Amino acid sequence: MVFAHDSFQIKGTIADAKTLQPLEGVNIIGENQYSISSATGTFTLNNVSKGTYCLTISHLGYTSQTICIEVGPNTEVLEVFLEESTTALQEVEVNGKSKKRMNKESPVVSELVSKEFLANNRENSLMQTLSKIPGVSTINIGSGQSKPVIRGLGFNRVAVVQNGVKHEAQQWGNDHGLEIDQYGIENIKIVKGPASLVYGSDAIAGVVDIQSNPIPFKHSFSGDVNLLGESNNDLLSISAGVEGRSHNWFYRGRLTYRDYGDYKVPTDKINYENYVFTLHENNLRNTAGKEANGSLSFGYVSDRFTTETTISNVNSKNGFFANAHGLEVRTSSIDYDRSNRDIDLPYHKVNHFKVTNNTSIDLDNHTIQLDLGFQNNIREEHSEPTPHGYMPTPPNTKERGFHKNTFSLNVKDAFEPFNKHHVVAGVNLEFQDNSISGWGFLIPEYTRFTVGAFAFDQYEIHSDLHLLAGVRYDYGQINSKSYSDWYPSTINNPNGTTSYVYLQRAQDKTLDFGNVSASVGLSYILNNTTFKINAGKSFRMPLPNELASDGVNYHMYRYEQGNLDLDPEESYQLDIDIDHTTKDFSVGISPFVNVFENFIYLNPTSNYYETLQIYEYTQSKVFRAGGELRASTSIINNLQLDASAEYVYSRQTSGPKEGFTIPFSPPLSGLFSARYQFKDVLFFKEPQLTADYRITAAQDEIVPPEEQTDGYQVLNMSLLTDINLFKAKQPLELKFKLNNVFDTKYFDHTSFYRLIDVPETGRNISIALTQTF
């Protein structure tokens, strides 16, 4: 309770009495007072005079409660626990803003991903879990790793943000996954389209914003244990988490361990560089891995001050498909088929350590948000020491090492200077220090400093019409360091003599970049229909591999050369979103038009280094258009039907590949889902049977030397139910999934391994058990 002159605030939290989880959208009604609970279950009634008040608290599906409270300077925060009701409540209409309402009012085209969606659709990696969302796909690297792709753009064009801090690893690499434990994540916001205004460079295509979990309720303790087993790669996984709170202090903790073998594909041979490799029992040899993750956070919360510090570590070791790392496997003495759980050469080790602090200070008319972060990413790639060209046999297996430290600071102030204006202004700073090791060179050591300042205003023209406009300026500096080979190369001089030279691969270079981002949009809510239109301009600074790479990438069997003359990418995009939602039916469409002034890509040339084709980074103008279509209905009792489609058209309008598309362009794809909920059967409570049928068209639009991919259809099925055998307070959740039911052989055009004739994973049976307490 906050005292201000002769008025007070009534604050409270509302939760499910059984699960202790916060309830969103609960109606709190008193005499001339009303509120609605947020996603964290909290509510506030402002400008309340001293005295006794009775509040009616109601929510659909729960028994309402009436609570009388004595309001004064010493009144504590209310804690309300609602019991589920077998009788539906009459719907009560109040003017409040839930999380969904706020998302409707924002002109930015985005999608909220719930805890329920993440739990019901969990796959081997976070991005594979999110790939059912229209417009979101992945670049898969084996069975346990993947990279985010939004509307056909990935790598550093998509920013991944966790707890307010941008995740910084080695995401520039084709075969570098995303080091984030997907267990314990409850809320994700996906922004489609340019988002540099708030998130800075690297958000030119969109954002995967992994938001902080709600703060636990007072004097609470809860947790969960997740067990998972899979047939395709013999995966065994366990994840356990707990959280609790006293009065003001709270904590969370989680441990996850995964161990898996080589995964199986629906073929017994692979054709790579005109060599045919047979597969033992359809196992994609040397794709086994192990992963151990841990996180711990602690925080303090009061009426006006909240802070939480999170420490996490993700450690993994994964084998590279042996035939994907050049052709040395032909002469290797390693018995790759000895065991499907061996992690032989080549392999990589990754350790990502992260510390973040999120602090919020609530002043009279300002809310200050501070986000600090430190990240340490260590990545090593090991392969058999083999001589190449003038390079003699290396002394050890460590081909490449990348060591990256990142320091981040975000400061944001939200306030309302005028009536119906909600202004947010902020500053982002980031410093990176990157060192390298190993006998193979691809990118130089470098440091990177960026700073950006932004401000935007969301103006409520009236309750259903909102205008959002903002501007941002960023400055960045990259300092790359010189590098010379550790071995001499032979140079034939014009006079007929021969010299032995340690070739210089990179030079000392300092590059500065600066640019402006801006966005303006409108959102209009007409009864059950929401209209959005948003125009934005974003930019992305070139990466060190694009600027200064000069070496052999054996994972791709090619020689890559950077270009120090590259300009920052600039993107202009127009987004429209129309959504119509009723109780039993919803339909939506999200078209976009996108223009790049100077898109950066790796272009194959006619030149060769020894026997390897040289690829050079270059720029061109690119026109893109496309969008997503979605529909959902539950007209039939207990049956939910969903359908979605997505398409992206890309065309280079200048440069050496004028008239072609851009690499990894996803083809037209549609997903049809049906979910039926049965009545209780024996000890199975409310079992749900789901069928997902994905139809993907052939991709004929390619950039040479890419190859076309055929269309395909894949059926996945799952059964979800609760089991209460032991009459525990919380039932045991069972998820049985059957992916690729017919063991279909197909190639995903956005998959990394597609380039070497490796199809997607074959049939897979998984069983997941979750016990909450």
Side-chain angles (χ1 to χ4, degrees), residues 21 48 64 144 177 234 248 285 310 335 344 404 544 581 653 698 749:
Q21 293 299 310
V48 182
S64 62
D234 297 333
N248 297 107
R285 56 174 63 96
T310 304
D335 183 3
D344 295 310
K404 180 177 182 179
T581 300
T653 58
H749 195 77

Side-chain angles (χ1 to χ4, degrees), residues 80 240 262 390 406:
V80 182
D262 300 341
Y390 294 112
T406 304

Side-chain angles (χ1 to χ4, degrees), residues 145 170 172-177 179 316-318 320 325 344-350 377-385 396-403 437-443 552-556 752:
Q145 302 173 80
Q170 306 289 342
W172 55 268
N174 292 281
D175 48 3
H176 302 173
E179 301 91 10
S316 64
K317 180 180 180 181
N318 312 88
F320 286 123
H325 200 85
D344 295 310
L345 295 168
Y347 67 83
H348 65 166
K349 299 190 300 182
V350 181
N377 184 274
I378 300 175
R379 177 184 178 86
E380 292 184 2
E381 299 176 0
H382 291 255
S383 64
E384 290 189 77
N396 52 50
T397 65
K398 186 178 177 181
E399 179 183 349
R400 283 196 288 260
F402 305 100
H403 189 169
S437 59
W439 45 262
F441 176 79
L442 187 58
I443 66 171
V552 176
N553 188 342
Y554 292 107
H555 304 288
M556 303 298 293
F752 169 70

Side-chain angles (χ1 to χ4, degrees), residues 160-172:
V160 178
V161 177
Q162 187 174 29
N163 297 335
V165 174
K166 189 162 60 175
H167 184 76
E168 289 289 353
Q170 306 289 342
Q171 57 264 46
W172 55 268

Side-chain angles (χ1 to χ4, degrees), residues 21 45 69 132 164 190 216 233 239 258 278 284-286 290 301 363 438 477 500 569 586 595 653 724 757:
Q21 293 299 310
L45 296 173
I69 179 174
K132 283 185 66 174
I190 295 178
N233 59 352
S239 180
R258 290 159 45 89
T278 59
L284 203 63
R285 56 174 63 96
N286 204 45
K290 302 177 186 291
V301 58
L363 305 177
Q477 184 180 87
Y500 298 92
E569 286 184 340
S586 69
V595 175
T653 58
N724 201 348
D757 194 43

Side-chain angles (χ1 to χ4, degrees), residues 17-223:
K18 182 179 179 181
T19 67
L20 301 182
Q21 293 299 310
L23 293 177
E24 178 182 7
V26 178
N27 304 309
I28 301 94
I29 303 174
E31 184 178 356
N32 299 321
Q33 294 284 345
Y34 66 84
S35 182
I36 186 168
S37 65
S38 68
T40 59
T42 60
F43 71 90
T44 302
L45 296 173
N46 295 308
N47 301 319
V48 182
S49 301
K50 186 176 180 180
T52 301
Y53 293 83
C54 291
L55 306 176
T56 299
I57 300 172
S58 61
H59 191 48
L60 290 175
Y62 289 82
T63 302
S64 62
Q65 292 187 25
T66 299
I67 297 177
C68 294
I69 179 174
E70 184 71 28
V71 175
N74 299 318
T75 306
E76 292 188 356
V77 175
L78 288 174
E79 292 186 53
V80 182
F81 299 92
L82 295 182
E83 299 278 356
E84 288 187 0
S85 172
T86 56
T87 304
L89 295 171
Q90 257 191 337
E91 191 167 347
V92 179
E93 293 187 6
V94 296
N95 294 320
K97 290 188 179 181
S98 66
K99 197 171 184 180
K100 292 181 180 178
R101 171 73 186 194
M102 293 174 65
N103 194 55
K104 286 184 177 182
E105 293 179 355
S106 172
V108 177
V109 178
S110 60
E111 188 140 359
L112 301 178
V113 183
S114 66
K115 177 182 179 180
E116 181 183 15
F117 177 93
L118 293 170
N120 292 345
N121 296 279
R122 184 173 291 130
E123 297 291 346
N124 270 322
S125 68
L126 175 61
M127 289 313 306
Q128 289 172 348
T129 299
L130 297 175
S131 62
K132 283 185 66 174
I133 297 173
V136 178
S137 56
T138 65
I139 296 177
N140 293 324
I141 311 120
S143 62
Q145 302 173 80
S146 57
K147 304 170 73 69
V149 175
I150 296 179
R151 290 173 167 173
L153 298 178
F155 298 95
N156 277 63
R157 295 183 179 92
V158 174
V160 178
V161 177
Q162 187 174 29
N163 297 335
V165 174
K166 189 162 60 175
H167 184 76
E168 289 289 353
Q170 306 289 342
Q171 57 264 46
W172 55 268
N174 292 281
D175 48 3
H176 302 173
L178 190 64
E179 301 91 10
I180 291 179
D181 184 359
Q182 66 173 320
Y183 286 96
I185 296 173
E186 296 187 11
N187 297 287
I188 298 178
K189 180 179 180 179
I190 295 178
V191 180
K192 301 176 184 178
S196 294
L197 174 65
V198 177
Y199 299 93
S201 181
D202 295 355
I204 196 168
V207 178
V208 178
D209 188 351
I210 304 169
Q211 301 178 344
S212 301
N213 291 345
I215 295 173
F217 287 102
K218 287 182 181 180
H219 311 296
S220 66
F221 174 79
S222 61

